[in-house]
């Protein structure tokens, strides 16, 4: 594969805890993932992105990292991780891992040393008094007091102390960590909370100094060749967002405008145009993301009256017509895969899993839930372990009881049940990813002026993608139909359906 494989890649996100359990303890792990590599190969993706796999007390699902150079024992060992990277590479699949530079864990060696010895506290933000009245992103105050009276800053949970990036030691540490994993063959990093690293007394989002860090990281990535840096940058200001993607900084960043966009023709067209206007002048490929481990699953979201996504207003429990949501999720998948750039598939999206909204409160583990006093249900509902096979839980996830309970109704959604069903979501993803590899990915697109309520464009290869967002069926443009997200009747495209065509 070329050095710029990432420009048009289809990247599958693995939330390891919930992917597949190889040792029967109810927690997904590397053994489970390795055993399912053939499934991922067959699905047709180019790369995997794994959420943090480091040793962690799991106060925030692994985003509280205790050791950046190890593997969480519940997930396996460093040797297994190295084998996994090799096996994925043998199948032609790249491996991207998460790096979490904004904060650490209270169980990390550095934080424990800081607690024991106040002279090494300047790797974090310690102070005699809270320096401001910031609230943590998960709710509650962002400052916590330690037994000797000082306070430390944590933008997320108290178990996640923020690093002090004004300290050169922190820079050195992360440069070493990048090298550590590049040496072991990883093909890239997804950078967690990438815009939050630097702090002033009054602000923590998108301070200018952060760009110096990514310029340096880019130099390191370039030394290895063919490696990619992907930013988690939630910034509505496009000009500020684009600064992260300058040619000597990050390669790509997640498109959260697209992810949050309602199922609405004008809004989708606006967001696609905005994305292209932001990316084209700097030569960075756009990314197209419908879901991840932090957001409501599309099948549920698209079935609601309000189809936007917002962290603060998750609309948990709002009525959802899941049949409608499923149809739209299929149409959205073909739309996302046809757009120019790279595309992400969050595990379970290819199975059409809905959000699990009826988890009992006592099994919820997301700190967002506890820290909001139960007012925000948090993100557990999109992290339920995958159903692989069989008629009842644990649906082939492993032999133990999964760490979050799976709905009984998921027997219809197992990978096994879908494999032989030609009309299944799984087979739609397989067919689409195969065609995408040949005809789509990196490049440009041209809007077609089409029917009023239709989103239609062509790609460099000649493929036309048409999505009907209106209430009525519309005639299809001329061409040979390659794939459609739902059944077509007499050459017309029903509402909430996408079709791919090529010139006949
Ligand atoms: C990112 C991650 C999220 C995590 C947070 C703190 O937004 O995607 O899961 O809780 O950062 O690390």
């Amino acid at each position: 594969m070329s050095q710029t494989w990432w420009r048009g890649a289809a990247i599958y996100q693995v939330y390891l805890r919930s992917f597949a359990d190889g040792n029967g303890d109810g927690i997904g792990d590397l053994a489970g993932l390795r055993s399912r590599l053939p499934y991922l190969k067959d699905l047709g993706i180019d790369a995997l992105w794994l959420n943090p796999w480091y040793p962690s007390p799991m106060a925030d699902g692994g985003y509280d990292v205790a050791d950046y150079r190890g593997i969480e024992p519940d997930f396996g060992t460093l040797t297994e991780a190295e084998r996994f990277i090799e096996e994925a590479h043998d199948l032609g699949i790249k491996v991207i891992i998460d790096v979490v530079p904004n904060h650490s864990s209270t169980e990390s060696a550095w934080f424990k040393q800081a607690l024991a010895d106040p002279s090494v506290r300047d790797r974090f933000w310690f102070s005699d008094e809270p320096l401001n009245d910031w609230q943590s992103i998960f709710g509650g105050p962002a400052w916590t007091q330690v037994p000797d009276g000082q306070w430390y800053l944590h933008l997320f949970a108290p178990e996640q102390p923020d690093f002090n990036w004004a300290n050169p030691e922190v820079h050195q540490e992360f440069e070493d960590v990048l090298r550590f994993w590049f040496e072991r063959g990883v093909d890239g990093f997804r950078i967690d909370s990438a815009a939050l690293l630097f702090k002033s007394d009054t602000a923590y989002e998108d301070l200018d100094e952060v760009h110096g860090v990514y310029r340096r990281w880019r130099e390191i990535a370039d030394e290895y060749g063919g490696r990619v840096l992907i930013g988690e940058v939630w910034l509505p200001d496009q000009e500020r967002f684009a600064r992260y993607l300058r040619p000597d900084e990050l390669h790509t960043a997640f498109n959260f405008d697209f992810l949050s966009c309602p199922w609405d023709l004008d809004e989708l067209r606006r967001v696609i145009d905005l994305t292209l206007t932001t990316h084209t002048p700097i030569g960075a490929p756009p990314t197209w993301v419908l879901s991840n481990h932090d957001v409501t699953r599309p099948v549920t979201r698209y079935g609601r009256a309000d189809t936007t996504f917002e962290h603060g207003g998750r609309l948990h429990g709002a009525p959802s017509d899941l049949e409608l949501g499923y149809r739209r999720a299929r149409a959205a998948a073909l739309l996302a895969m046809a757009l120019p750039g790279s595309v992400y598939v969050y595990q379970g999206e290819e199975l059409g899993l809905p959000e699990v909204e009826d988890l009992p409160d006592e099994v919820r583990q997301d700190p967002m839930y506890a820290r909001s006093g139960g007012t925000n249900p948090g993100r557990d509902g999109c992290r339920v372990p995958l159903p692989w096979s069989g008629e009842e839980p644990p649906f082939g996830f492993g032999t133990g009881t999964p760490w979050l309970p799976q709905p009984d109704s998921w027997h219809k959604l197992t990978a096994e049940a879908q494999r032989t069903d030609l009309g299944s979501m799984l087979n739609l993803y397989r067919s689409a990813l195969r065609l995408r590899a040949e005809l789509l990915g990196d490049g440009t697109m041209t809007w077609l002026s089409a029917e009023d309520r239709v989103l239609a464009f062509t790609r460099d290869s000649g493929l036309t993608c048409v999505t009907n967002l209106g209430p009525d069926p519309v005639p299809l443009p001329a061409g040979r139909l390659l794939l459609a997200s739902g059944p077509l009747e007499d050459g017309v495209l029903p509402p909430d359906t996408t079709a791919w065509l090529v010139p006949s």
Side-chain angles (χ1 to χ4, degrees):
M1 226 187 238
S2 81
Q3 295 273 305
T4 54
W5 59 272
W6 43 271
R7 292 188 64 90
I11 302 171
Y12 185 94
Q13 181 190 349
V14 176
Y15 194 74
L16 202 48
R17 283 213 285 178
S18 303
F19 187 72
D21 171 17
N23 68 357
D25 65 359
I27 301 171
D29 50 31
L30 284 169
L33 175 58
R34 288 168 67 197
S35 74
R36 299 289 180 182
L37 277 171
Y39 168 86
L40 294 167
K41 175 71 188 164
D42 178 62
L43 186 58
I45 46 91
D46 303 306
L48 301 175
W49 151 37
L50 276 70
N51 290 99
W53 59 3
Y54 311 105
S56 166
M58 296 285 156
D60 179 22
Y63 283 95
D64 45 325
V65 178
D67 172 7
Y68 288 83
R69 295 175 182 80
I71 295 292
E72 162 60 33
D74 280 346
F75 295 156
T77 62
L78 187 56
T79 310
E80 273 183 284
E82 287 169 345
R83 291 230 179 90
F84 154 71
I85 296 168
E86 268 171 37
E87 289 164 0
H89 284 171
D90 287 347
L91 292 173
I93 297 174
K94 307 273 185 189
V95 176
I96 297 160
I97 62 171
D98 228 295
V99 64
V100 188
N102 179 67
H103 46 268
S104 175
S105 160
T106 43
E107 292 301 311
S108 65
W110 274 16
F111 196 79
K112 288 198 221 158
Q113 280 167 26
L115 282 189
D117 174 2
S119 77
V120 288
R121 286 193 172 170
D122 64 352
R123 292 160 172 170
F124 301 94
W125 283 100
F126 274 92
S127 163
D128 289 337
E129 295 291 336
L131 295 177
N132 46 48
D133 60 358
W134 291 348
Q135 293 296 294
S136 120
I137 292 166
F138 291 155
W143 293 88
T144 290
Q145 198 166 26
V146 299
D148 61 27
Q150 280 213 316
W151 298 74
Y152 68 91
L153 174 72
H154 52 87
L155 289 184
F156 294 91
E159 294 87 350
Q160 295 168 292
D162 278 43
F163 285 111
N164 172 12
W165 277 87
N167 182 344
E169 240 189 302
V170 174
H171 293 238
Q172 191 55 53
E173 169 68 359
F174 276 94
E175 289 170 21
D176 286 354
V177 166
L178 297 187
R179 288 184 188 284
F180 179 90
W181 291 107
F182 280 147
E183 297 292 340
R184 280 162 182 75
V186 308
D187 300 285
F189 288 92
R190 176 267 189 190
I191 305 166
D192 187 67
S193 304
L196 306 186
L197 272 41
F198 285 83
K199 277 92 192 175
S200 72
D201 289 350
T202 53
Y204 60 75
E205 195 168 69
D206 189 35
L207 300 194
D208 287 343
E209 294 89 323
V210 75
H211 296 285
V213 172
Y214 298 136
R215 286 204 184 96
R216 179 69 197 118
W217 288 20
R218 178 62 178 257
E219 281 170 9
I220 295 172
D222 285 349
E223 277 175 40
Y224 289 86
R227 314 295 166 111
V228 62
L229 299 172
I230 305 163
E232 188 207 17
V233 181
W234 291 84
L235 281 183
D237 180 327
Q238 296 295 304
E239 192 272 324
R240 305 287 310 181
F241 175 85
R243 288 156 55 105
Y244 290 79
L245 300 177
R246 289 176 288 198
D248 59 347
E249 295 196 35
L250 307 182
H251 298 78
T252 68
F254 296 103
N255 189 342
F256 292 121
D257 297 312
F258 186 70
L259 181 149
S260 312
C261 186
W263 187 247
D264 173 86
L265 180 104
D266 297 329
E267 277 301 298
L268 280 165
R269 191 192 293 265
R270 186 187 65 78
V271 166
I272 294 168
D273 278 336
L274 188 70
T275 302
L276 298 175
T277 316
T278 303
H279 289 75
T280 310
I282 44 178
T287 68
W288 306 99
V289 191
L290 292 173
S291 69
N292 66 30
H293 65 294
D294 292 330
V295 308
T296 309
R297 285 208 179 262
V299 168
T300 301
R301 177 156 74 90
Y302 289 141
R304 289 186 177 142
D306 178 352
T307 52
T308 44
F309 175 78
E310 272 179 57
H311 275 296
R314 302 176 73 86
L315 302 175
H316 187 83
S320 175
D321 174 346
L322 292 183
E323 247 173 66
L324 176 67
Y326 183 78
R327 200 159 63 238
R328 288 177 171 171
R330 292 172 64 96
L334 291 202
L335 169 64
M337 287 192 220
L339 288 162
S342 63
V343 72
Y344 286 80
V345 178
Y346 171 49
Q347 68 178 44
E349 200 181 295
E350 82 281 18
L351 301 176
L353 300 186
E355 183 83 2
V356 182
E357 299 206 277
D358 57 356
L359 287 170
D361 289 346
E362 62 278 11
V363 304
R364 290 192 183 278
Q365 297 200 11
D366 185 1
M368 227 178 219
Y369 171 69
R371 289 191 55 87
S372 68
T375 54
N376 185 335
R379 303 161 293 180
D380 293 310
C382 65
R383 300 175 176 180
V384 172
L386 292 190
W388 289 97
S389 58
E391 292 301 314
E392 53 196 45
F395 296 120
F397 174 67
T399 52
T401 306
W403 68 279
L404 283 174
Q406 302 155 307
D408 290 337
S409 57
W410 279 12
H411 65 92
K412 291 181 286 207
L413 296 175
T414 65
E416 183 187 54
Q418 296 197 40
R419 200 176 40 230
T420 47
D421 172 1
L422 286 184
S424 69
M425 186 73 108
L426 178 59
N427 277 317
L428 179 73
Y429 269 74
R430 287 175 69 226
S431 308
L433 286 164
R434 200 146 296 136
L435 288 168
R436 185 182 180 279
E438 246 174 79
L439 300 170
L440 298 161
D442 192 24
T444 59
M445 60 170 269
T446 311
W447 287 116
L448 293 178
S449 55
E451 289 280 328
D452 228 1
R453 306 309 300 162
V454 160
L455 208 55
F457 56 90
T458 51
R459 292 295 317 274
D460 328 51
S461 60
L463 185 143
T464 296
C465 175
V466 195
T467 305
N468 182 359
L469 284 122
D472 305 310
V474 293
L476 273 178
R480 180 165 63 87
L481 183 71
L482 283 185
L483 189 63
S485 66
L488 303 187
E489 287 145 30
D490 301 329
V492 294
L493 187 66
D496 299 311
T497 308
T498 298
W500 286 358
L501 303 108
V502 284
S504 37

